[in-house]
Amino acid sequence: MSHPENPEVTASSSSKRSLIQNLKTHWFMTIAALTILASIGWVVWIIFIPSSTIETDDAHVDVEYATISPKISGEVTALYVEDHQAVKAGQLLARIDARDYEAALAEAESNLAKAQAELKAAEMLVERQPTQIREAQAQVRKMQASIQQTQDNTARYQELQKLGAESRLVTQQSKTTLAEQHADLDNNQEKVIDAEYQLKQYKIQVLASQATLKQARVALDKAKLNLSYTEIYAPIDGSIGQKSVHIGNYVSTGNPLMVIVPLDKIYIEANFREVELKNVQSGQPVKIHVDAYNVDLNGTVDSFSPSTGAFFSPISSSNATGNFTKIVQRLPLRIQLVQHQPNANLLRPGLSVVVSINTQK
């Protein structure tokens, strides 16, 4: 059997429910209004209150690696490294067939020996030629003395002939002898001139032989270098990457075979907007977040690029067209890692990072 409800109790309950509902609505609107005001305040803070920390996600790990290319052409006969292998500076990486270059070296050595012999022969001719000149000059002096004697005899015969003490035939024979001696003197004087001229020729031959010898030595040095280039060594410490050569491949001069990445010399390249760089200086501390491993590292600002990234673009923009649109440029910064960090060995060139610089320190 049901009891009739008390009207006063029912009215009181309805009033309480209405009050609670109003309070809930009021608190909800208050919280919403505070949330909106806080959001607006945060946005205003970000826009109008300068921050001492600047951040960019336009950053990556970079390194200056060495590209290994042969200096000569030939068939690869041996490889001593694999991809990702750690190597030391001076370690043998590969070997190129050396037989052609060994033959070239032997030929260069033979040409050098020939050039040395030719120079020695030319020098001996130069040394001997003054003797030939002196002999020719002696013959000239001898003929001059004979001519003087014949002239004296001829004059004496002529005087005797006038006195009738000598025949005309003897005088005539003496004159003939004198003429022949003058001819021989001219001939010997020509021999002196020829000998002196020959000496000059021999000296020129020595110079030519010296030049030939120098060329032969240069060719020998080049042949030795080419032979040494058949063995390819690592120029720096690092890890092998992008190895594209195999045993039996024919490689050409300058074609890349592999690269060596010095992982201990990795750095960060971060691109900051130009409007953010006012207070950035070398030596300021940097926080580096590595996306791949979700780890943080420490670094310092090392240096600034001499130009923005767009400056070296193959197709540079021109503002002279009249269609100028101002775009905030980015300037690359180099950031060096603090040494001896546990997670620094995880970094690899090309990985993305987020960089934050504290400009107040």
Side-chain angles (χ1 to χ4, degrees):
M1 175 175 162
S2 61
H3 297 280
E5 295 183 358
N6 189 335
E8 294 180 358
V9 174
T10 303
S12 176
S13 298
S14 298
S15 176
K16 289 180 178 179
R17 284 195 299 270
S18 177
L19 180 60
I20 292 172
Q21 186 67 32
N22 289 335
L23 287 174
K24 289 181 177 180
T25 302
H26 175 73
W27 280 109
F28 177 78
M29 294 180 63
T30 301
I31 293 172
L34 290 175
T35 302
I36 293 173
L37 289 174
S39 299
I40 294 173
W42 177 253
V43 172
V44 171
W45 176 274
I46 293 176
I47 295 175
F48 295 102
I49 305 300
S51 174
S52 62
T53 301
I54 60 173
E55 182 178 290
T56 182
D57 60 359
D58 186 359
H60 64 277
V61 182
D62 208 342
V63 71
E64 295 176 352
Y65 58 86
T67 300
I68 307 302
S69 301
K71 295 183 179 181
I72 57 172
S73 300
E75 180 183 345
V76 176
T77 57
L79 276 175
Y80 303 102
V81 292
E82 297 293 339
D83 271 319
H84 313 154
Q85 178 180 335
V87 297
K88 295 291 184 180
Q91 181 175 335
L92 183 60
L93 304 177
R95 194 186 300 274
I96 296 175
D97 188 358
R99 289 174 295 179
D100 289 343
Y101 300 99
E102 289 171 348
L105 176 60
E107 182 180 0
E109 290 173 341
S110 175
N111 290 336
L112 177 63
K114 179 181 178 183
Q116 289 173 332
E118 290 176 348
L119 176 61
K120 186 63 177 177
E123 289 174 342
M124 291 177 65
L125 289 174
V126 170
E127 292 175 359
R128 178 176 176 273
Q129 193 61 21
T131 302
Q132 300 293 326
I133 294 174
R134 286 193 295 272
E135 289 179 357
Q137 290 173 339
Q139 289 295 325
V140 169
R141 290 192 296 272
K142 180 179 179 181
M143 290 305 303
Q144 288 173 339
S146 298
I147 288 173
Q148 184 62 46
Q149 183 180 3
T150 303
Q151 286 177 340
D152 293 342
N153 291 335
T154 301
R156 187 168 54 254
Y157 291 154
Q158 288 177 341
E159 292 297 327
L160 292 174
Q161 182 182 349
K162 291 178 181 179
L163 298 175
E166 189 64 74
S167 67
R168 183 176 180 181
L169 177 61
V170 173
T171 303
Q172 187 64 37
Q173 287 177 343
S174 180
K175 289 181 179 181
T176 302
T177 301
L178 181 62
E180 291 175 350
Q181 288 177 337
H182 275 293
D184 290 340
L185 176 62
D186 292 340
N187 185 38
N188 286 322
Q189 288 175 336
E190 289 294 331
K191 287 182 179 180
V192 171
I193 294 174
D194 288 343
E196 291 174 345
Y197 180 77
Q198 192 69 37
L199 177 60
K200 293 179 181 180
Q201 285 186 323
Y202 290 155
K203 288 181 178 180
I204 293 174
Q205 186 175 343
V206 167
L207 294 177
S209 298
Q210 289 174 341
T212 302
L213 178 61
K214 185 176 180 180
Q215 290 177 342
R217 285 173 175 164
V218 171
L220 178 62
D221 292 340
K222 184 177 180 180
K224 289 179 179 179
L225 276 177
N226 287 338
L227 182 59
S228 69
Y229 293 153
T230 59
E231 294 181 341
I232 302 173
Y233 295 90
I236 58 174
D237 295 348
S239 296
I240 300 296
Q242 288 188 327
K243 186 173 75 67
S244 59
V245 62
H246 305 282
I247 294 177
N249 289 162
Y250 185 89
V251 295
S252 299
T253 304
N255 287 347
L257 307 181
M258 63 190 78
V259 299
I260 299 179
V261 181
L263 295 177
D264 59 335
K265 296 182 180 180
I266 279 177
Y267 60 90
I268 306 298
E269 184 173 286
N271 301 290
F272 282 93
R273 296 187 304 152
E274 55 186 322
V275 294
E276 299 174 325
L277 299 174
K278 179 180 179 181
N279 297 318
V280 178
Q281 297 178 1
S282 296
Q284 290 176 334
V286 180
K287 290 293 183 183
I288 304 163
H289 180 76
V290 185
D291 296 342
Y293 304 105
N294 194 27
V295 296
D296 292 324
L297 298 172
N298 296 320
T300 57
V301 177
D302 180 70
S303 58
F304 296 76
S305 171
S307 67
T308 64
F311 184 82
F312 292 117
S313 175
I315 304 177
S316 59
S317 59
S318 174
N319 298 334
T321 60
N323 299 322
F324 171 68
T325 301
K326 186 170 183 178
I327 300 174
V328 176
Q329 300 296 311
R330 289 182 179 268
L331 187 72
L333 272 65
R334 176 174 290 196
I335 297 167
Q336 293 292 352
L337 294 168
V338 175
Q339 295 183 351
H340 309 302
Q341 297 184 78
N343 294 319
N345 60 345
L346 298 175
L347 293 181
R348 293 295 183 272
L351 292 181
S352 298
V353 296
V354 178
V355 171
S356 301
I357 302 177
N358 189 337
T359 60
Q360 284 189 345
K361 295 183 179 180

